[in-house]
Amino acid sequence: MDTDEKLALVAQTIAHQGGQISALASALLCTLHVARGTPGLSEAIEARLAQNHANLTARSESPEYLAGFEGMREQIAAALK
C-alpha cells in the first residue's frame, strides 16, 4: 500500500468516525432535552458525570483526555439547565 492509499484510508476512517460522533451528539442532545423535563434525571446525570470524572482523575488519564471529558461535561450541564 503506497502513501496515497494509506492517507486515503486514514481520511476515510476519520470521516466515518466523524459521522458516528455527529450521530451520538444528536442522540445525546435529544436525551438531554427529555432529561430537562424529567424530575431528578438531570441531577442523576450530573452526579454520574462527576463520579466518572473522579474515577478518570484517580486513574491519571492523559491531560488531553481529561480536558475533553471536562469540556463535554460542562456542555452537558449547560444543556440540562
Side-chain angles (χ1 to χ4, degrees), residues 5-81:
E5 291 172 324
K6 290 178 184 176
L7 289 173
L9 180 60
V10 168
Q12 180 183 16
T13 301
I14 290 170
H16 178 73
Q17 290 174 343
Q20 289 177 333
I21 291 168
S22 292
L24 285 171
S26 294
L28 176 60
L29 185 59
C30 291
T31 303
L32 294 174
H33 284 290
V34 171
R36 277 194 288 192
T38 306
L41 188 53
S42 294
E43 293 80 10
I45 291 170
E46 290 177 2
R48 184 62 172 197
L49 286 170
Q51 181 183 19
N52 287 351
H53 182 262
N55 291 340
L56 289 174
T57 302
R59 290 195 313 252
S60 299
E61 295 285 345
S62 73
E64 295 84 7
Y65 187 89
L66 284 172
F69 185 92
E70 289 165 356
M72 183 56 70
R73 182 178 68 170
E74 290 170 8
Q75 291 178 17
I76 290 170
L80 289 170
K81 300 294 180 219

